[in-house]
Amino acid sequence: MRGSDYAELRAFAAVAEHGNFARAAARLGMSASALSQTIRTLEERMGIRLLNRTTRSVAPSEAGQRLLSRLLPALADLDRAVADVSALRDKPAGLLRINAPRVAIVHTLAPLIAPFNAVYPEIMMEIIVDDKLSDIVAGRFDAGIRLGEMVEKDMVSVKLGGEMRLVVIASPDYIARHGMPQTPRDLRDHSCVASRWPTDGSLYHWEFERGDEKLEVAVSGPLSTTDNDLMLRAVLDGIGIGYLFDHHVAEYLVAGRLVSMLDDWTPPFPGFHLYYPSRRQMPPPLRAFVDFVRSNSLRPPPETQVGQE
């Protein structure tokens, strides 16, 4: 149905309801003459008179009454559909799909789920674990989570949580048997549990920074993995040295089951960001979650974007 068809039918229903062109025109926000012309156009197009007009009244013809009996329920359904969608804007509801790596979900996103649900019980969250940095647009996700440095330049992003830090760790048993590296370069002479990028399987070169000096070290050892939990288990078992987020190993450091080293080479860095394609016409569930993230951040910064929306 064309837009003009809908306008003509809506005009006919208004005249039939009010029994008067002037009152119907005022309801529709148009002049009585324009409304009269709209009705004439509809009748000419349908080839039948829909309204009987006298000097004192306007009433549906037999054909008009038949059309009206089908038209009014249809228009009511359309009004309800529009009202339902508008209600989402005022009271967010529906599905929110988020794509994120496991480490971000466990340590950054998971603590937000219960409090967000308490505020927005009508929003259903679907969180997909994805360590391969998939395209959220192609995957039809509302948003994704990545380290800030890995967010594409044309995305809008908002900080999610605080700074993060990687730590070099080993078990006391491993250190007793092999000693402790004094510089990042010494790691080349040690047995290390290497990390592989889940995106392409390549080995991650451990990155270090102290002052103005930056280093990348290609480590090696008896095990390489894309799974941080497996790396942690291997390090706890004394297989070699690992490189993991501090929050992942904090309890083991406190308990003395692990020892950190090269701490002056591992400064904090910006952590995870929630990111999405554009601010324009954001789905209400996403808008609600973005606002919630910003209001619950330790240091809520403004949204930032590099590139064009």
Side-chain angles (χ1 to χ4, degrees):
M1 181 172 66
R2 299 172 303 176
S4 59
D5 296 340
Y6 176 79
E8 291 170 356
L9 291 170
R10 175 69 77 178
F12 164 68
V15 175
E17 176 186 359
H18 291 280
N20 182 283
F21 274 88
R23 288 194 295 268
R27 171 73 176 275
L28 296 171
M30 59 194 302
S31 68
S33 59
L35 177 56
S36 180
Q37 181 58 50
T38 298
I39 297 300
R40 282 197 297 271
T41 300
L42 175 61
E43 290 177 328
E44 290 171 1
R45 184 166 59 80
M46 297 187 69
I48 192 168
R49 179 179 289 275
L50 299 174
L51 294 170
N52 292 321
R53 305 163 178 83
T54 69
T55 56
R56 292 186 300 177
S57 66
V58 178
S61 66
E62 181 181 353
Q65 188 61 51
R66 183 174 298 185
L67 173 61
L68 196 63
S69 66
R70 301 285 296 275
L71 180 60
L72 290 179
L75 291 175
D77 282 344
L78 287 173
D79 289 341
R80 284 192 293 270
V82 172
D84 287 345
V85 172
S86 298
L88 293 179
R89 176 190 61 208
D90 303 322
K91 184 181 179 181
L95 179 64
L96 174 63
R97 301 188 73 232
I98 297 177
N99 176 296
R102 183 179 301 277
V103 64
I105 291 173
V106 172
H107 297 287
T108 307
L109 181 58
L112 296 177
I113 295 175
F116 180 72
N117 175 257
V119 178
Y120 298 104
E122 300 301 317
I123 295 178
M124 183 178 70
M125 300 184 73
E126 180 178 300
I127 299 171
I128 303 301
V129 178
D130 181 5
D131 292 319
K132 295 185 177 181
L133 307 182
S134 299
D135 184 339
I136 61 170
V137 175
R140 302 181 68 182
F141 290 95
D142 295 298
I145 298 174
R146 291 185 188 175
L147 290 173
E149 64 197 57
M150 295 183 178
V151 175
E152 289 91 343
K153 301 300 183 183
D154 60 346
M155 292 286 171
V156 181
S157 69
V158 59
K159 191 78 167 60
L160 185 66
E163 291 185 324
M164 303 184 71
R165 182 170 172 264
L166 286 163
V167 289
V168 182
I169 38 93
S171 68
D173 175 67
Y174 177 89
I175 293 173
R177 289 183 287 113
H178 302 284
M180 183 181 295
Q182 301 303 307
T183 73
R185 294 181 180 87
D186 294 341
L187 290 169
R188 299 189 182 101
D189 300 322
H190 279 266
S191 175
C192 296
V193 182
S195 303
R196 289 191 177 274
W197 288 105
T199 49
D200 59 9
S202 62
L203 282 173
Y204 166 59
H205 291 184
W206 293 5
E207 299 170 283
F208 298 95
E209 180 179 346
R210 186 173 67 178
D212 295 332
E213 189 175 4
K214 296 182 179 181
L215 293 175
E216 288 189 7
V217 179
V219 300
S220 61
L223 175 66
S224 64
T225 180
T226 60
D227 187 83
N228 288 335
D229 289 334
L230 179 58
M231 176 184 286
L232 175 59
R233 175 61 185 268
V235 174
L236 286 168
D237 289 344
I239 287 178
I241 296 174
Y243 199 31
L244 289 164
F245 287 115
D246 57 357
H247 58 248
H248 202 171
V249 300
E251 64 178 288
Y252 301 100
L253 291 171
V254 171
R257 296 185 60 190
L258 292 176
V259 176
S260 68
M261 56 201 80
L262 304 176
D263 291 341
D264 56 337
W265 282 94
T266 57
F269 58 90
F272 288 106
H273 284 67
L274 179 77
Y275 70 100
Y276 49 95
S278 174
R279 291 187 185 91
R280 296 191 181 100
Q281 296 180 332
M282 290 174 62
L286 176 58
R287 177 76 267 173
F289 189 66
V290 169
D291 291 343
F292 185 84
V293 166
R294 295 186 66 199
S295 65
N296 284 274
S297 174
L298 295 177
R299 289 186 299 275
E303 294 171 358
T304 58
Q305 181 177 20
V306 178
Q308 300 295 319
E309 289 189 12

